[in-house]
Amino acid sequence: MPDQLPTLELRCFGPPVIRIDGAEPPTDVLWRKNVALLAYLALSPDRTRSREHLLGLLWPEKDQTKARHSLNEAVRRLRSGLGTDRIRSKGDTLTLDDTALSVDADDLERALTRGDFLEGLTLDDAPAFEDWVMAERGRHRTQASSALLRTGERELAALRFAEAHEAAARVLALDPYSEPAARLRMRAATLAGDAAGALRGFHEFANRLEAEFAEDPSRELTALAERIRNGRWRRRSVASPDVDPPLVGRAAVHEEIFRLVGEAFRGASRTAAVLGDSGSGKTRLLSECVNRWQLDGGLLAVGRALEQDRDAEWSTLRALARGGLLDAPGLAGTDPAALAVLASVIPELCERADPSPALDHAHVATALVSLIRAVAEEQPVAIVVDDGHWADASTLGAWQAAMGQLRDEPVLLAVAAADGGTAQGSRIGLVGEIGRRLPGMIVRLGPLTEADITSLVMLLADWCPDDEQRDRLARRVWYETSGNPLLATTLLQGLRRVTALREDATQWPPPRHTIDSAVPFDVPELVRLMTIARANELSEQGRHVLVAATIGPRVIDPEAIVALTELDAATVDRGLEELERHRFVVFDGDRFHLEAPIIAAVIRGEFLTPSRRKRFETRFAEWSGARTRLD
């Protein structure tokens, strides 16, 4: 029976280290040629090499007899120190037994934190071994860089921006001229809100390229820097945490959907459906997907379906056309016959092609495939439908058929819709095809957990002086909102603005009382007070425009406000800009819409008497009817 082998740990990265049962080996095991032989066998295929190969590698300057003697002596000393059966002989081969063997190169990413491969181990009389070490260093650096970049992308998808930044920095330490690493570092810093840091990293990288190779960064990396500089990759005109509250919780969901967005961008068509109740965060999650898409340089077409248009055939398709498709650089490459079919349902295309009546929905879907393929040849394209439960069935059916034909194009179709009811009926029939005929995923957003609310409080209630008050506030928000993200973020953002309400918010529950204790005021009352306080900060004309904006659909038509208020168009435009600055409205790149329905309800209730509201609603109905007849 062979003796039981002691544990053997071999560290090849950084200065070589050998441990036997956790202790230092005998001194002769650490002789340079013995360490070189052990490391070479450990990293050889099947941990096996022929004696002839080892002689030429480690003792090329000696004649055959002396070289064999040196090899035999090295094997004897290693067996003496590591265990007789650690190195086995069979015929002309030597094999390192991997029983109880640990080699750091098997966990490459961790090993590289210690240093370079066999750092400091040189054999001047064995040039072939030196060449092997140099080749292994390059190979391991390449493999480690790839592994670290994959890790960084996973961290980026999981919203762990600091970890993604660190992975990119580690790659740049291995390869200072790695453009994928520079790109990852810039994206991680930007998504973390540090645009200045991202641009600083770009300039450092560009300066290294210039100094070493007299070259500039690629056009793609330079374009990324320009997008970061001008901020146009965001789907909002003013960057503010009050507009895009932080994403907390739901880590697995976020990682999966952002990974899917990346797959679509790289050329594998994907479809995503984000479902949830009102205020569950559907639009916020879509916004983050869209931001990442545009940061990477993709084209975006966004359409918000409206309740009053749900039975108007192709209304959502027309919204998507106006929301970005008509501006696509690759549109000119679409087959003219396909453009003619689409022109029959999208009037704006009549300038490019004479309409040709569509035979059926499948005919429109085929035309859409031609258009999307032409556009995607220029740049990846994302089609985003918000409030998809109001989308017309014709548009959704055509996109369902089109995505079934788009397989290897950089295309993303993302739909946010209310869960249940119409979202599960024929109006959102494509949901049932996701994961079956359509590669993609379905996300269902429920309430935030108590731990999620605590995280949200830590991010948005920096005014709280200590952990005890933050904990009390988190318990209150959780109890009062039942984890609804919209209510929770609205409440916390309001408390950041209205200092007079903070004391009541943090004094519940009272010490030694339970969470069921009576509260000073309920959440709707708190939201009402915060909204009134915000509105009173507006100018008189700003409040006038805000009140008018709450009449009608959430999407704001400036012409409707002109008709309701009898203000001139320029004054209404200035009023909308003021509302945007104060976060009452958001500009999505095409149109203004109110930040949240609950805000509109408060404004109507507090700033409109019943008679004035009746007059406004009558005037809006008259304007809307005249507009419809004109259209």
Side-chain angles (χ1 to χ4, degrees):
M1 291 287 291
D3 295 335
Q4 182 176 1
L5 288 172
T7 62
L8 170 59
E9 180 186 359
L10 176 60
R11 298 182 188 174
C12 297
F13 288 84
V17 174
I18 299 173
R19 291 283 187 272
I20 308 298
D21 282 338
E24 289 275 353
T27 302
D28 54 358
V29 168
L30 298 176
W31 292 355
R32 285 179 175 269
K33 285 288 177 77
N34 295 346
V35 172
L37 174 59
L38 182 61
Y40 192 75
L41 284 174
L43 300 177
S44 293
D46 298 324
R47 310 203 196 275
T48 299
R49 287 292 183 180
S50 70
R51 288 177 179 269
E52 289 296 326
H53 179 84
L54 295 171
L55 294 175
L57 180 79
L58 296 172
W59 293 277
E61 82 289 356
K62 295 185 176 182
D63 62 36
Q64 189 77 355
T65 300
K66 290 181 179 180
R68 283 188 175 275
H69 174 75
S70 296
L71 175 59
N72 290 337
E73 183 65 14
V75 171
R76 183 187 70 78
R77 290 180 183 276
L78 288 173
R79 283 172 172 166
S80 175
L82 308 179
T84 304
D85 296 315
R86 178 60 73 182
I87 298 179
R88 304 192 310 270
S89 298
K90 184 176 182 181
D92 188 46
T93 62
L94 293 176
T95 298
L96 180 68
D97 193 308
D98 59 6
T99 302
L101 172 66
S102 171
V103 183
D104 62 352
D106 294 336
D107 186 359
L108 190 57
E109 184 178 327
R110 179 178 299 175
L112 276 162
T113 62
R114 300 191 181 110
D116 224 336
F117 180 71
L118 294 181
E119 187 176 301
L121 180 62
T122 58
L123 301 178
D124 295 336
D125 59 350
F129 178 78
E130 291 284 294
D131 291 344
W132 173 75
V133 169
M134 292 301 294
E136 285 295 290
R137 283 176 182 167
R139 184 174 69 85
H140 287 310
R141 285 184 177 188
T142 299
Q143 290 179 343
S145 295
S146 298
L148 285 168
L149 287 172
R150 289 193 297 271
T151 298
E153 290 294 341
R154 289 196 298 271
E155 300 289 11
L156 201 65
L159 302 171
R160 293 188 288 267
F161 303 127
E163 290 82 351
H165 194 281
E166 173 63 21
R170 289 175 61 187
V171 175
L172 288 169
L174 295 170
D175 180 3
Y177 312 105
S178 169
E179 189 156 301
R183 179 182 179 84
L184 174 61
R185 184 171 67 168
M186 291 168 64
R187 291 160 61 221
T190 303
L191 291 171
D194 185 14
L199 293 174
R200 185 168 56 251
F202 170 74
H203 291 304
E204 291 172 357
F205 182 77
N207 292 338
R208 281 199 300 273
L209 283 182
E210 172 64 27
E212 184 66 23
F213 304 110
E215 293 183 357
D216 295 325
S218 71
R219 184 171 54 186
E220 290 76 12
L221 195 69
T222 303
L224 172 60
E226 181 58 28
R227 288 192 295 274
I228 295 171
R229 186 177 295 110
N230 62 38
R232 292 176 186 167
W233 58 277
R234 290 185 180 275
R235 285 295 292 173
R236 58 181 195 241
S237 57
V238 181
S240 165
D242 286 354
V243 177
D244 274 357
L247 292 174
V248 299
R250 301 166 174 168
V253 167
H254 296 152
E255 183 171 356
E256 189 174 0
I257 195 167
F258 296 142
R259 176 187 55 77
L260 180 139
V261 169
E263 291 172 350
F265 193 91
R266 291 188 292 271
S269 301
R270 295 289 186 265
T271 303
V274 182
L275 308 178
D277 295 330
S278 177
S280 61
K282 303 184 297 297
T283 300
R284 175 66 186 93
L285 183 56
L286 273 191
S287 174
E288 188 68 18
C289 292
V290 161
N291 283 343
R292 290 173 179 241
W293 189 269
Q294 294 198 131
L295 178 61
D296 286 341
L299 177 75
L300 182 67
V302 178
R304 183 184 296 276
L306 304 176
E307 181 178 2
Q308 62 265 34
D309 292 338
R310 66 187 183 275
D311 294 323
E313 192 173 42
W314 306 116
S315 58
T316 307
L317 183 58
R318 289 190 285 272
L320 288 169
R322 294 189 295 269
L325 272 183
L326 292 177
D327 301 323
L331 189 65
T334 307
D335 177 66
L339 274 182
V341 171
L342 293 174
S344 69
V345 296
I346 304 174
E348 291 87 344
L349 284 175
C350 292
E351 298 178 1
R352 297 174 179 264
D354 292 331
S356 175
L359 301 177
D360 49 33
H361 293 175
H363 199 189
V364 175
T366 302
L368 276 177
V369 170
S370 176
L371 182 146
I372 293 300
R373 281 179 173 155
V375 170
E377 285 185 4
E378 294 287 332
Q379 61 188 127
V381 56
I383 308 298
V384 178
V385 179
D386 202 0
D387 287 341
H389 46 283
W390 300 125
D392 66 284
S394 301
T395 295
L396 291 178
W399 277 113
Q400 176 182 333
M403 292 302 293
Q405 300 177 54
L406 295 165
R407 292 290 180 174
D408 300 318
E409 291 82 8
V411 179
L412 172 70
L413 172 63
V415 180
D419 200 3
T422 56
Q424 298 303 308
S426 59
R427 197 170 295 280
I428 308 291
L430 65 84
V431 171
E433 295 297 319
I434 297 176
R436 299 167 57 191
R437 198 170 62 89
L438 302 179
M441 65 178 295
I442 300 170
V443 175
R444 285 187 165 85
L445 300 180
L448 296 176
T449 66
E450 187 171 1
D452 296 338
I453 294 293
T454 300
S455 298
L456 197 62
V457 167
M458 295 296 291
L459 291 168
L460 295 183
D462 49 359
W463 48 267
C464 269
D466 53 53
D467 291 340
E468 181 183 355
Q469 288 206 29
R470 279 189 288 269
D471 180 64
R472 293 159 73 85
L473 179 61
R475 292 166 64 194
R476 163 132 194 218
V477 172
W478 161 251
Y479 180 79
E480 292 289 357
T481 67
S482 299
N484 181 283
L486 176 62
L487 283 178
T489 54
T490 300
L491 189 156
L492 290 169
Q493 288 170 352
L495 288 173
R496 294 179 71 180
R497 300 188 189 96
V498 187
T499 58
L501 301 177
R502 293 177 181 174
E503 184 176 355
D504 282 339
T506 55
Q507 292 304 311
W508 178 91
R512 296 180 296 278
H513 285 67
T514 69
I515 199 168
D516 296 323
S517 302
V519 296
F521 43 72
D522 60 20
V523 167
E525 173 67 7
L526 182 57
V527 173
R528 186 183 72 83
L529 293 173
M530 291 186 300
T531 303
I532 294 171
R534 288 175 59 193
N536 284 331
E537 296 173 359
L538 298 172
S539 67
E540 183 177 352
Q541 288 182 335
R543 281 196 300 275
H544 203 30
V545 172
L546 175 61
V547 170
T550 66
I551 305 298
R554 185 177 173 188
V555 175
I556 299 168
D557 190 325
E559 294 183 11
I561 296 179
V562 169
L564 292 178
T565 62
E566 298 181 349
L567 297 172
D568 61 78
T571 301
V572 169
D573 287 342
R574 288 194 298 271
L576 288 172
E577 290 175 3
E578 182 183 2
L579 297 184
E580 184 182 14
R581 289 194 302 273
H582 286 263
R583 314 294 184 258
F584 280 101
V585 302
V586 177
F587 186 67
D588 63 10
D590 184 31
R591 296 175 294 182
F592 286 102
H593 58 84
L594 289 165
E595 181 185 33
I598 194 170
I599 303 299
V602 171
I603 296 298
R604 284 194 298 265
E606 295 297 324
F607 292 90
L608 278 176
T609 62
S611 61
R612 190 181 178 205
R613 178 173 178 176
K614 179 66 174 178
R615 289 197 302 271
F616 267 25
E617 290 176 344
T618 300
R619 195 177 301 173
F620 180 84
E622 293 172 349
W623 174 86
S624 180
R627 177 72 173 269
T628 301
R629 290 192 296 274
L630 180 61
D631 289 344

